[in-house]
Amino acid sequence: MILACNNICKSFGSDDIIKNASFHIEDHEKAAIVGINGAGKSTALKMLCSLAAPTSGEISIFGKPVSDSISRKRTGILVESPGIYPNMSARENMMLKAACLGLVDGKE
């Protein structure tokens, strides 16, 4: 299984943004998260890449917790604005981001 989300919830104060969401994605499947503005799509993606922690529930990628460093090295995600340097190539932007995350030593 590539991704498993079991009863994930995310609250900000008394506002429940995501309530008891459960889904999984198997190898070679494609998935989309759709909804109106404010539905929690960006929040869900942030939880999938460990930029935000769920209030409750469990998320695993490749059978490991989403917070696991091996899981993070095997995934990539773009949430909201890309935040890239327009004068650099896509590869240079990716290598810079990977170096900032400690995933590579910054040398090719």
Side-chain angles (χ1 to χ4, degrees):
M1 185 170 314
I2 301 296
L3 172 67
C5 295
N6 297 309
N7 295 315
I8 58 171
C9 300
K10 183 64 176 178
S11 300
F12 294 103
S14 62
D15 293 330
D16 296 327
I17 306 302
I18 298 173
K19 300 178 202 175
N20 299 319
S22 295
F23 58 93
H24 66 275
I25 300 172
E26 300 287 344
D27 192 22
H28 300 292
E29 287 184 331
K30 294 176 179 75
I33 299 176
V34 296
I36 62 172
N37 288 346
K41 300 177 301 289
S42 294
T43 300
L45 291 174
K46 288 175 185 175
M47 289 191 296
L48 296 180
C49 65
S50 73
L51 291 175
T55 304
S56 63
E58 297 176 349
I59 303 171
S60 63
I61 297 178
F62 304 110
K64 300 199 179 284
V66 71
S67 59
D68 183 81
S69 64
I70 294 172
S71 295
R72 286 197 315 271
K73 288 179 182 180
R74 295 184 66 193
T75 59
I77 192 166
L78 177 63
V79 180
E80 297 171 1
S81 312
I84 61 171
Y85 293 100
N87 61 327
M88 295 172 66
S89 70
R91 179 173 176 74
E92 290 168 331
N93 271 282
M94 289 186 340
M95 293 301 292
L96 177 62
K97 182 68 170 177
C100 290
L101 293 172
L103 303 176
V104 297
D105 62 10
K107 301 174 186 153
E108 294 189 41

